[in-house]
Amino acid sequence: MQLSLRVERRPAPLWFRPLAPVIAVLVTFAITAVLVIAARANPFQAYYYFLIYPLTGKVSASEVLVSATPLLFTGAAATFAFSAGYWNIGGEGQLMAGAMAGAGVGLLVGGLSPWLAIPIMILAGFAGGVLWALIPALLRVRLAVDEIVTTLLMNTVFSFFVSYILNGVWRSPTSGWPQSPEIAASAHFPPLFAGYRPHLGLALALVVLAAIWVVLNRTPLGLRMRSIGLGMEAARFAGVRVERTLLIAALISGGIAGLGGVSEVAGLQFHLVETLSNNFGYTGIIVAMLGALNPIGAAIAALFLGLIGIGAQSVSQSLGVPVYLGDVVEATMLLVTLATLVLQNYRIRRA
Amino acid sequence: MYAVELKGITKRFGPVLANNNVDFSLKKGEIHALLGENGAGKTTLMRILYGLYSADEGQIFVAGQEAHIESPRDAIQAGIGMVTQHFTLVPTLTVAENLVLGYPTGFNLQPRQIEKQVADAAGRFGIEVRPSALVRHLSVGERQRVEILKSLFRNARVLILDEPTAVLVPQEVDVLFETLNRLRSDGMSIVFISHKLNEVMAICDRITVLRAGSLVGTVARAETSPHGLASMMVGHETFGVSREGQQAQGKILLEVEDLSALDKKGLPALKNISLRVHSGEILGIAGVSGNGQTELGQALSGMLRPAGGRIRVGEHDLTGASPDRYTAARVGRIPEDRHGGLIGELSVAENLALESLDPFTHSGMLDRKAILGNARRLIAEYQIKASPTDRTRTLSGGNMQKVLFARALSRNPQVIIASQPTRGLDVGATDYIRTKLLEQRDHGAGVLLISEDLDEVLALSDRIAVMYEGEVVGILPAEQATRSELGLLMSGAKRGTAASGSLPGKEAASHAA
């Protein structure tokens, strides 16, 4: 008898849905285990160092939170814009714009109390992100220029601009390195737990995620944004002002990415440096997609990617596996999760 | 012996029983209608025969032999062809290339030779197509003929047509029927899926009626009547809905003056259109598909920016206004394409609220209880088969249309712009929608009804305007409008005097353009 199979489109039952991410994790590890073995390490041991070990100590666990903090911001920024179908790939540049604006203000607010200095700096960072998001957003809503291309290219433009400033007017007078002077002490984000590095930025990121959840799910703006994201022409027909709504979504998204920049400057680096962002803007896109454009999902995804980042260091130190394995796991994870999200709508049946 | 016989076909989609123990038989050389309301299971049954679905239970016999049809390829090998509503032609290829696509002709394509083969086949079956024409240059009716020829070219002896007339204008329907009659006399067996009674009565030999997935019965055309079929379809007699009585013309609610607009390609689609819709009347717009009706509906919904002219509703000047301003001016709009007005992934309640969110907003937050309550009220009032939280894409066409009507009418509009409001709907939903339009007219609203269904325009309108090539070529009072008169206007053979008579001074302008 010939065994013939056919693929049917049929959404997975509800009980299966929570299993999908678990399956994605298992498949990812099955795939990447090949690389671990190639690096002459025991995959089970490797994954212990990858996923469990960083959570066993207070210091390393707190470092997971530190590395997740910028991803929470950029993930929130991408989630917000993508919900409206505005494909903001410019989180990287907007984050740096926020960082630069925050650092600039941070240099000037030395005389103010932290209660004043920190909010001003946060606002400046938000404004920086908004400004850098403004040009592609206007091009999109006024001239229908594809935002994917413009937001992406604006990242490169800003990275050169940062380089220019740091090698010029802001070059550190003490060391001569391309880094800005240190921001005022009153503008430093306080740590959340004494003696550990997680800082006010983490709390701010969680507040932002909660806020965008409320906006997307409970406000007229959110409903309009989602309606555009899910069916732009039908939304327009129903009277949604598509261009205005997209502009608002794009600018808020840029502002949130900018907050991520402030958080890194004021919570961790205290200078503006060229290497401030470790591709946080791009990773934020991964965070948003892994989180299925849900702010809660994005929070989980950002924490998970933070864990993978720290785990990659611990596995490399313990087993001598290249630290780039973390990047490979991250990328594989994205592909497998997206595949799982699509494939769970199909089932294979005997014909 | 039957050409095709289906026995005891049962098909479930999750909890939904799409076909329940259905028997169906097709004789050699007959046109057999498969009739039923939307969602009755007609298309499902034929998709099973064509191998697109597999039946959960039941048997298929082709020419007396049990056949295991598991894919369209099996069906084609068994001599079965299907023309679906969505054509599967490659627009950038020629007719001939489309026909041989996926058909083994060896590695080397010889355009001349295949064009000759296709021309031979076209001549043999009496189907008029030009083999070297690019498909993208063909009209919908011509594309359909190519689809039919494609099946015949693959030696089909059984042809399934899924609602073939839904996409055609009246003249093209006539051509299609000629083709089908010729194929029948050649011994082809044809399944004609439809929910239009007059077409079924016009062309079919036998009629099988399905209702809610089950077989109601199979009857010969000679032994039934449209009323008999209608009662089989819906379980009760339907008499159709039509306008009664004439009302005195009320005040002008919608005034369109010298409106012109360009279509997507930048070509003039509307040329100096002037119309007035009064309180308490339905102004029907008749015309052959593609003569500017789509663009008129869009322009009067805020979806197409006019190139010139004025649109006024009551006190409001809505020329070039966005859709939200139309809603604010109490214009209820029904789009030509239902999917262009509703967002499938949002819930029914969200779609119902989307047009005006202010009443559902308290201190910046959406009042979800009010949104759901509004949806429950409208669902009950408009007899929509859905729950407020259902994704809108899961609704049938008729229920989607009811959602659009509920949204538009719930705001008590003074003007209603309805584009093709009953296209593709079953008898029950069509009657319901027409009743609602008449109700609005009787309550004093002004209704602009754009429809390619001439029967609908005749049944509902107080006055009828005919569009031809982007112009209004005539406006007739309903009692003067005969089919032949409208036909002449629709075909462009005649210009009505009524157009200039009812709107003095506009005629000169329209000729100047």
Side-chain angles (χ1 to χ4, degrees), chain A residues 131-157:
Chain A
L131 276 179
W132 201 244
L134 183 65
I135 299 165
L138 283 177
L139 286 171
R140 162 66 196 270
V141 300
R142 295 251 186 270
L143 301 172
V145 178
D146 186 346
E147 77 276 11
I148 298 181
V149 176
T150 50
T151 52
L152 178 67
L153 294 180
M154 294 284 280
N155 291 338
T156 317
V157 174

PDB file of all heavy atoms in Angstrom, chain A residues 131-157:
ATOM      1  N   LEU A 131      12.936  62.322  16.631  1.00  0.00           N
ATOM      2  CA  LEU A 131      13.463  63.141  15.538  1.00  0.00           C
ATOM      3  C   LEU A 131      14.075  62.281  14.435  1.00  0.00           C
ATOM      4  O   LEU A 131      13.873  62.534  13.256  1.00  0.00           O
ATOM      5  CB  LEU A 131      14.512  64.116  16.079  1.00  0.00           C
ATOM      6  CG  LEU A 131      13.960  65.399  16.673  1.00  0.00           C
ATOM      7  CD1 LEU A 131      15.099  66.265  17.188  1.00  0.00           C
ATOM      8  CD2 LEU A 131      13.134  66.154  15.635  1.00  0.00           C
ATOM      9  N   TRP A 132      14.841  61.257  14.863  1.00  0.00           N
ATOM     10  CA  TRP A 132      15.492  60.438  13.846  1.00  0.00           C
ATOM     11  C   TRP A 132      14.481  59.565  13.107  1.00  0.00           C
ATOM     12  O   TRP A 132      14.718  59.140  11.979  1.00  0.00           O
ATOM     13  CB  TRP A 132      16.619  59.597  14.462  1.00  0.00           C
ATOM     14  CG  TRP A 132      17.594  59.167  13.408  1.00  0.00           C
ATOM     15  CD1 TRP A 132      17.857  57.893  13.015  1.00  0.00           C
ATOM     16  CD2 TRP A 132      18.412  60.020  12.597  1.00  0.00           C
ATOM     17  NE1 TRP A 132      18.780  57.900  12.012  1.00  0.00           N
ATOM     18  CE2 TRP A 132      19.139  59.187  11.733  1.00  0.00           C
ATOM     19  CE3 TRP A 132      18.587  61.412  12.516  1.00  0.00           C
ATOM     20  CZ2 TRP A 132      20.044  59.695  10.794  1.00  0.00           C
ATOM     21  CZ3 TRP A 132      19.482  61.905  11.578  1.00  0.00           C
ATOM     22  CH2 TRP A 132      20.199  61.047  10.743  1.00  0.00           C
ATOM     23  N   ALA A 133      13.339  59.268  13.756  1.00  0.00           N
ATOM     24  CA  ALA A 133      12.292  58.492  13.088  1.00  0.00           C
ATOM     25  C   ALA A 133      11.435  59.369  12.180  1.00  0.00           C
ATOM     26  O   ALA A 133      10.699  58.881  11.335  1.00  0.00           O
ATOM     27  CB  ALA A 133      11.405  57.805  14.128  1.00  0.00           C
ATOM     28  N   LEU A 134      11.535  60.684  12.377  1.00  0.00           N
ATOM     29  CA  LEU A 134      10.606  61.597  11.696  1.00  0.00           C
ATOM     30  C   LEU A 134      10.797  61.613  10.177  1.00  0.00           C
ATOM     31  O   LEU A 134       9.827  61.587   9.426  1.00  0.00           O
ATOM     32  CB  LEU A 134      10.787  63.012  12.264  1.00  0.00           C
ATOM     33  CG  LEU A 134       9.846  64.083  11.711  1.00  0.00           C
ATOM     34  CD1 LEU A 134       8.413  63.782  12.096  1.00  0.00           C
ATOM     35  CD2 LEU A 134      10.244  65.471  12.230  1.00  0.00           C
ATOM     36  N   ILE A 135      12.077  61.629   9.748  1.00  0.00           N
ATOM     37  CA  ILE A 135      12.326  61.788   8.301  1.00  0.00           C
ATOM     38  C   ILE A 135      11.742  60.628   7.500  1.00  0.00           C
ATOM     39  O   ILE A 135      10.931  60.843   6.597  1.00  0.00           O
ATOM     40  CB  ILE A 135      13.832  61.971   8.046  1.00  0.00           C
ATOM     41  CG1 ILE A 135      14.318  63.234   8.767  1.00  0.00           C
ATOM     42  CG2 ILE A 135      14.112  62.065   6.556  1.00  0.00           C
ATOM     43  CD1 ILE A 135      15.826  63.324   8.878  1.00  0.00           C
ATOM     44  N   PRO A 136      12.089  59.367   7.849  1.00  0.00           N
ATOM     45  CA  PRO A 136      11.482  58.274   7.073  1.00  0.00           C
ATOM     46  C   PRO A 136       9.964  58.230   7.217  1.00  0.00           C
ATOM     47  O   PRO A 136       9.261  57.888   6.255  1.00  0.00           O
ATOM     48  CB  PRO A 136      12.128  57.007   7.646  1.00  0.00           C
ATOM     49  CG  PRO A 136      13.033  57.411   8.718  1.00  0.00           C
ATOM     50  CD  PRO A 136      13.086  58.889   8.815  1.00  0.00           C
ATOM     51  N   ALA A 137       9.465  58.590   8.408  1.00  0.00           N
ATOM     52  CA  ALA A 137       8.009  58.536   8.612  1.00  0.00           C
ATOM     53  C   ALA A 137       7.305  59.544   7.716  1.00  0.00           C
ATOM     54  O   ALA A 137       6.287  59.236   7.096  1.00  0.00           O
ATOM     55  CB  ALA A 137       7.672  58.798  10.085  1.00  0.00           C
ATOM     56  N   LEU A 138       7.871  60.751   7.620  1.00  0.00           N
ATOM     57  CA  LEU A 138       7.261  61.758   6.745  1.00  0.00           C
ATOM     58  C   LEU A 138       7.344  61.332   5.282  1.00  0.00           C
ATOM     59  O   LEU A 138       6.402  61.492   4.517  1.00  0.00           O
ATOM     60  CB  LEU A 138       7.946  63.113   6.933  1.00  0.00           C
ATOM     61  CG  LEU A 138       7.553  63.880   8.200  1.00  0.00           C
ATOM     62  CD1 LEU A 138       8.355  65.166   8.304  1.00  0.00           C
ATOM     63  CD2 LEU A 138       6.063  64.171   8.216  1.00  0.00           C
ATOM     64  N   LEU A 139       8.507  60.764   4.912  1.00  0.00           N
ATOM     65  CA  LEU A 139       8.643  60.292   3.528  1.00  0.00           C
ATOM     66  C   LEU A 139       7.583  59.242   3.214  1.00  0.00           C
ATOM     67  O   LEU A 139       7.017  59.204   2.131  1.00  0.00           O
ATOM     68  CB  LEU A 139      10.041  59.703   3.304  1.00  0.00           C
ATOM     69  CG  LEU A 139      11.178  60.717   3.194  1.00  0.00           C
ATOM     70  CD1 LEU A 139      12.529  60.008   3.205  1.00  0.00           C
ATOM     71  CD2 LEU A 139      11.031  61.532   1.914  1.00  0.00           C
ATOM     72  N   ARG A 140       7.307  58.396   4.213  1.00  0.00           N
ATOM     73  CA  ARG A 140       6.317  57.348   3.996  1.00  0.00           C
ATOM     74  C   ARG A 140       4.911  57.929   3.855  1.00  0.00           C
ATOM     75  O   ARG A 140       4.189  57.626   2.907  1.00  0.00           O
ATOM     76  CB  ARG A 140       6.368  56.346   5.148  1.00  0.00           C
ATOM     77  CG  ARG A 140       5.150  55.452   5.295  1.00  0.00           C
ATOM     78  CD  ARG A 140       4.996  54.497   4.112  1.00  0.00           C
ATOM     79  NE  ARG A 140       3.653  53.938   4.077  1.00  0.00           N
ATOM     80  CZ  ARG A 140       3.316  52.819   4.697  1.00  0.00           C
ATOM     81  NH1 ARG A 140       4.219  52.144   5.367  1.00  0.00           N
ATOM     82  NH2 ARG A 140       2.088  52.379   4.634  1.00  0.00           N
ATOM     83  N   VAL A 141       4.496  58.767   4.811  1.00  0.00           N
ATOM     84  CA  VAL A 141       3.092  59.173   4.801  1.00  0.00           C
ATOM     85  C   VAL A 141       2.826  60.275   3.773  1.00  0.00           C
ATOM     86  O   VAL A 141       1.702  60.411   3.309  1.00  0.00           O
ATOM     87  CB  VAL A 141       2.585  59.608   6.193  1.00  0.00           C
ATOM     88  CG1 VAL A 141       2.727  58.456   7.187  1.00  0.00           C
ATOM     89  CG2 VAL A 141       3.299  60.827   6.699  1.00  0.00           C
ATOM     90  N   ARG A 142       3.860  61.040   3.412  1.00  0.00           N
ATOM     91  CA  ARG A 142       3.605  62.084   2.419  1.00  0.00           C
ATOM     92  C   ARG A 142       3.868  61.610   1.004  1.00  0.00           C
ATOM     93  O   ARG A 142       3.161  61.959   0.083  1.00  0.00           O
ATOM     94  CB  ARG A 142       4.487  63.304   2.706  1.00  0.00           C
ATOM     95  CG  ARG A 142       4.164  63.980   4.006  1.00  0.00           C
ATOM     96  CD  ARG A 142       3.494  65.324   3.798  1.00  0.00           C
ATOM     97  NE  ARG A 142       3.322  66.003   5.057  1.00  0.00           N
ATOM     98  CZ  ARG A 142       2.240  65.874   5.842  1.00  0.00           C
ATOM     99  NH1 ARG A 142       1.240  65.106   5.443  1.00  0.00           N
ATOM    100  NH2 ARG A 142       2.153  66.504   6.981  1.00  0.00           N
ATOM    101  N   LEU A 143       4.949  60.831   0.825  1.00  0.00           N
ATOM    102  CA  LEU A 143       5.355  60.475  -0.540  1.00  0.00           C
ATOM    103  C   LEU A 143       5.334  58.978  -0.802  1.00  0.00           C
ATOM    104  O   LEU A 143       5.774  58.524  -1.853  1.00  0.00           O
ATOM    105  CB  LEU A 143       6.765  61.010  -0.816  1.00  0.00           C
ATOM    106  CG  LEU A 143       6.927  62.528  -0.680  1.00  0.00           C
ATOM    107  CD1 LEU A 143       8.400  62.910  -0.773  1.00  0.00           C
ATOM    108  CD2 LEU A 143       6.137  63.241  -1.762  1.00  0.00           C
ATOM    109  N   ALA A 144       4.827  58.196   0.190  1.00  0.00           N
ATOM    110  CA  ALA A 144       4.734  56.743   0.028  1.00  0.00           C
ATOM    111  C   ALA A 144       6.085  56.100  -0.283  1.00  0.00           C
ATOM    112  O   ALA A 144       6.176  55.148  -1.046  1.00  0.00           O
ATOM    113  CB  ALA A 144       3.712  56.378  -1.043  1.00  0.00           C
ATOM    114  N   VAL A 145       7.153  56.624   0.327  1.00  0.00           N
ATOM    115  CA  VAL A 145       8.462  55.999   0.167  1.00  0.00           C
ATOM    116  C   VAL A 145       8.558  54.835   1.161  1.00  0.00           C
ATOM    117  O   VAL A 145       8.230  54.987   2.329  1.00  0.00           O
ATOM    118  CB  VAL A 145       9.587  57.012   0.464  1.00  0.00           C
ATOM    119  CG1 VAL A 145      10.948  56.344   0.341  1.00  0.00           C
ATOM    120  CG2 VAL A 145       9.482  58.194  -0.480  1.00  0.00           C
ATOM    121  N   ASP A 146       8.963  53.682   0.670  1.00  0.00           N
ATOM    122  CA  ASP A 146       9.012  52.479   1.493  1.00  0.00           C
ATOM    123  C   ASP A 146       9.884  52.698   2.735  1.00  0.00           C
ATOM    124  O   ASP A 146      11.077  52.983   2.636  1.00  0.00           O
ATOM    125  CB  ASP A 146       9.599  51.336   0.657  1.00  0.00           C
ATOM    126  CG  ASP A 146       9.544  50.014   1.385  1.00  0.00           C
ATOM    127  OD1 ASP A 146       9.302  50.027   2.602  1.00  0.00           O
ATOM    128  OD2 ASP A 146       9.753  48.978   0.742  1.00  0.00           O
ATOM    129  N   GLU A 147       9.278  52.554   3.917  1.00  0.00           N
ATOM    130  CA  GLU A 147      10.005  52.849   5.148  1.00  0.00           C
ATOM    131  C   GLU A 147      11.049  51.796   5.471  1.00  0.00           C
ATOM    132  O   GLU A 147      11.990  52.071   6.222  1.00  0.00           O
ATOM    133  CB  GLU A 147       9.035  53.012   6.329  1.00  0.00           C
ATOM    134  CG  GLU A 147       8.462  51.714   6.904  1.00  0.00           C
ATOM    135  CD  GLU A 147       7.248  51.220   6.130  1.00  0.00           C
ATOM    136  OE1 GLU A 147       6.979  51.772   5.038  1.00  0.00           O
ATOM    137  OE2 GLU A 147       6.577  50.287   6.599  1.00  0.00           O
ATOM    138  N   ILE A 148      10.899  50.598   4.926  1.00  0.00           N
ATOM    139  CA  ILE A 148      11.873  49.560   5.253  1.00  0.00           C
ATOM    140  C   ILE A 148      13.256  50.009   4.791  1.00  0.00           C
ATOM    141  O   ILE A 148      14.243  49.906   5.510  1.00  0.00           O
ATOM    142  CB  ILE A 148      11.494  48.216   4.603  1.00  0.00           C
ATOM    143  CG1 ILE A 148      10.147  47.748   5.139  1.00  0.00           C
ATOM    144  CG2 ILE A 148      12.561  47.166   4.839  1.00  0.00           C
ATOM    145  CD1 ILE A 148       9.678  46.427   4.584  1.00  0.00           C
ATOM    146  N   VAL A 149      13.313  50.526   3.581  1.00  0.00           N
ATOM    147  CA  VAL A 149      14.585  50.959   3.015  1.00  0.00           C
ATOM    148  C   VAL A 149      15.118  52.189   3.767  1.00  0.00           C
ATOM    149  O   VAL A 149      16.273  52.217   4.198  1.00  0.00           O
ATOM    150  CB  VAL A 149      14.413  51.285   1.520  1.00  0.00           C
ATOM    151  CG1 VAL A 149      15.710  51.817   0.948  1.00  0.00           C
ATOM    152  CG2 VAL A 149      13.942  50.062   0.765  1.00  0.00           C
ATOM    153  N   THR A 150      14.252  53.184   3.946  1.00  0.00           N
ATOM    154  CA  THR A 150      14.750  54.441   4.516  1.00  0.00           C
ATOM    155  C   THR A 150      15.161  54.276   5.977  1.00  0.00           C
ATOM    156  O   THR A 150      16.217  54.741   6.374  1.00  0.00           O
ATOM    157  CB  THR A 150      13.684  55.543   4.413  1.00  0.00           C
ATOM    158  OG1 THR A 150      12.459  55.049   4.916  1.00  0.00           O
ATOM    159  CG2 THR A 150      13.500  55.996   2.988  1.00  0.00           C
ATOM    160  N   THR A 151      14.338  53.582   6.776  1.00  0.00           N
ATOM    161  CA  THR A 151      14.711  53.446   8.186  1.00  0.00           C
ATOM    162  C   THR A 151      16.015  52.666   8.304  1.00  0.00           C
ATOM    163  O   THR A 151      16.869  52.985   9.128  1.00  0.00           O
ATOM    164  CB  THR A 151      13.607  52.733   9.003  1.00  0.00           C
ATOM    165  OG1 THR A 151      13.258  51.516   8.360  1.00  0.00           O
ATOM    166  CG2 THR A 151      12.387  53.616   9.143  1.00  0.00           C
ATOM    167  N   LEU A 152      16.178  51.659   7.440  1.00  0.00           N
ATOM    168  CA  LEU A 152      17.405  50.861   7.482  1.00  0.00           C
ATOM    169  C   LEU A 152      18.619  51.724   7.143  1.00  0.00           C
ATOM    170  O   LEU A 152      19.634  51.710   7.844  1.00  0.00           O
ATOM    171  CB  LEU A 152      17.279  49.687   6.509  1.00  0.00           C
ATOM    172  CG  LEU A 152      18.506  48.779   6.393  1.00  0.00           C
ATOM    173  CD1 LEU A 152      18.722  48.030   7.692  1.00  0.00           C
ATOM    174  CD2 LEU A 152      18.348  47.798   5.249  1.00  0.00           C
ATOM    175  N   LEU A 153      18.516  52.507   6.070  1.00  0.00           N
ATOM    176  CA  LEU A 153      19.675  53.289   5.648  1.00  0.00           C
ATOM    177  C   LEU A 153      19.997  54.400   6.627  1.00  0.00           C
ATOM    178  O   LEU A 153      21.161  54.778   6.800  1.00  0.00           O
ATOM    179  CB  LEU A 153      19.414  53.861   4.242  1.00  0.00           C
ATOM    180  CG  LEU A 153      19.309  52.793   3.151  1.00  0.00           C
ATOM    181  CD1 LEU A 153      19.048  53.428   1.807  1.00  0.00           C
ATOM    182  CD2 LEU A 153      20.570  51.948   3.098  1.00  0.00           C
ATOM    183  N   MET A 154      18.969  54.916   7.288  1.00  0.00           N
ATOM    184  CA  MET A 154      19.203  55.976   8.262  1.00  0.00           C
ATOM    185  C   MET A 154      20.072  55.487   9.424  1.00  0.00           C
ATOM    186  O   MET A 154      20.739  56.285  10.083  1.00  0.00           O
ATOM    187  CB  MET A 154      17.871  56.495   8.813  1.00  0.00           C
ATOM    188  CG  MET A 154      17.003  57.213   7.792  1.00  0.00           C
ATOM    189  SD  MET A 154      17.571  58.867   7.413  1.00  0.00           S
ATOM    190  CE  MET A 154      16.921  59.752   8.815  1.00  0.00           C
ATOM    191  N   ASN A 155      20.054  54.162   9.676  1.00  0.00           N
ATOM    192  CA  ASN A 155      20.921  53.613  10.722  1.00  0.00           C
ATOM    193  C   ASN A 155      22.376  53.892  10.409  1.00  0.00           C
ATOM    194  O   ASN A 155      23.150  54.333  11.263  1.00  0.00           O
ATOM    195  CB  ASN A 155      20.728  52.094  10.838  1.00  0.00           C
ATOM    196  CG  ASN A 155      19.371  51.733  11.401  1.00  0.00           C
ATOM    197  OD1 ASN A 155      18.735  52.556  12.064  1.00  0.00           O
ATOM    198  ND2 ASN A 155      18.923  50.528  11.152  1.00  0.00           N
ATOM    199  N   THR A 156      22.761  53.612   9.186  1.00  0.00           N
ATOM    200  CA  THR A 156      24.155  53.803   8.777  1.00  0.00           C
ATOM    201  C   THR A 156      24.527  55.280   8.850  1.00  0.00           C
ATOM    202  O   THR A 156      25.607  55.637   9.315  1.00  0.00           O
ATOM    203  CB  THR A 156      24.347  53.295   7.344  1.00  0.00           C
ATOM    204  OG1 THR A 156      23.653  52.067   7.212  1.00  0.00           O
ATOM    205  CG2 THR A 156      25.797  53.105   7.028  1.00  0.00           C
ATOM    206  N   VAL A 157      23.592  56.111   8.388  1.00  0.00           N
ATOM    207  CA  VAL A 157      23.857  57.544   8.420  1.00  0.00           C
ATOM    208  C   VAL A 157      24.157  57.979   9.857  1.00  0.00           C
ATOM    209  O   VAL A 157      25.136  58.673  10.125  1.00  0.00           O
ATOM    210  CB  VAL A 157      22.645  58.329   7.868  1.00  0.00           C
ATOM    211  CG1 VAL A 157      22.856  59.818   8.047  1.00  0.00           C
ATOM    212  CG2 VAL A 157      22.412  57.982   6.411  1.00  0.00           C
TER     213      VAL A 157
END
